[in-house]
Amino acid sequence: RETQELLQYDCLCDDGTCVSLLEVVDIRLLRAQPSTYQRENWLLEPRVPWRKVGSARWDDLHGFVDPVERLWIDGHSTKGGRNDRIPTEIAEGLTSSLRLVRVDKLKLRVSQPGLDFDNPSKRLHAGFSHAGDYYWLRVTDPKYEERFLARGRGEYHVGESYLTISIGEPHTDGF
């Protein structure tokens, strides 16, 4: 795909089910395929289904967490977020675009930013403190979107969480 994302059907395993949280899977990789700032990208073999080989426990995640340091570049925010934008020219110089972090307190916020313009669409943002700064980042996990958008507008306290955070594709506004 042009933006190299995986869709749900890309994550089907040989048993016909999709990968779930904390499952460990064997995936056939063809080659590294880094792009400007997404250095971690790999091209997957689409003809070989994924194979579940085990599962991790919650306590196992601590061993995979990235070092506690600011995510990338702070100080640039959208109207509904905080520290949720990076100027494209700076992003192109980064060496990674993907992090696994642990936070003590996670808040999820459901909003409807387009209501004043007759757009009832809801958005889900995650609020958390990490490495001395605060973030409000857009949540794109389909399971969390389904679960929390159905609850309606408001803030929801989740508590301790492990977050996979990635830099998205460039927008036309230079971020």
Side-chain angles (χ1 to χ4, degrees):
R1 292 185 188 81
E2 183 179 334
T3 54
Q4 302 180 42
E5 76 276 9
L6 292 175
L7 300 178
Q8 189 169 355
Y9 67 81
D10 294 319
C11 304
L12 284 176
C13 292
D14 56 359
D15 66 0
T17 63
C18 285
V19 174
S20 294
L21 287 176
L22 299 177
E23 288 185 321
V24 179
V25 293
D26 182 25
I27 301 171
R28 176 89 43 96
L29 303 174
L30 292 176
R31 67 182 174 277
Q33 191 163 324
S35 65
T36 55
Y37 59 87
Q38 293 180 332
R39 309 270 187 241
E40 306 87 355
N41 288 0
W42 282 79
L43 183 62
L44 308 180
E45 168 54 75
R47 295 178 299 250
V48 177
W50 297 8
R51 186 172 55 88
K52 295 179 184 179
V53 295
S55 46
R57 295 182 335 245
W58 179 265
D59 294 338
D60 297 333
L61 293 178
H62 187 72
F64 297 102
V65 171
D66 285 301
V68 177
E69 55 188 34
R70 70 182 190 167
L71 292 179
W72 291 284
I73 308 295
D74 295 336
H76 302 276
S77 303
T78 61
K79 185 176 180 181
R82 180 168 176 179
N83 293 318
D84 63 338
R85 294 164 45 116
I86 300 172
T88 304
E89 68 273 3
I90 294 174
E92 289 173 354
L94 297 174
T95 58
S96 73
S97 63
L98 188 64
R99 299 277 175 85
L100 177 65
V101 301
R102 183 194 156 279
V103 298
D104 290 323
K105 298 176 184 176
L106 176 70
K107 272 196 275 191
L108 295 176
R109 178 180 64 208
V110 175
S111 63
Q112 290 179 286
L115 262 184
D116 292 341
F117 308 102
D118 295 324
N119 180 352
S121 298
K122 296 176 188 171
R123 286 191 182 166
L124 183 61
H125 282 83
F128 58 93
S129 181
H130 177 73
D133 213 333
Y134 202 81
Y135 297 86
W136 276 108
L137 304 179
R138 181 95 183 261
V139 175
T140 57
D141 180 289
K143 291 186 179 184
Y144 272 78
E145 284 184 310
E146 179 182 351
R147 182 173 159 197
F148 284 92
L149 294 180
R151 294 184 182 187
R153 288 174 28 189
E155 284 191 3
Y156 305 93
H157 296 271
V158 178
E160 179 190 20
S161 298
Y162 289 91
L163 309 174
T164 302
I165 303 172
S166 64
I167 299 174
E169 293 294 317
H171 289 268
T172 57
D173 63 358
F175 288 88

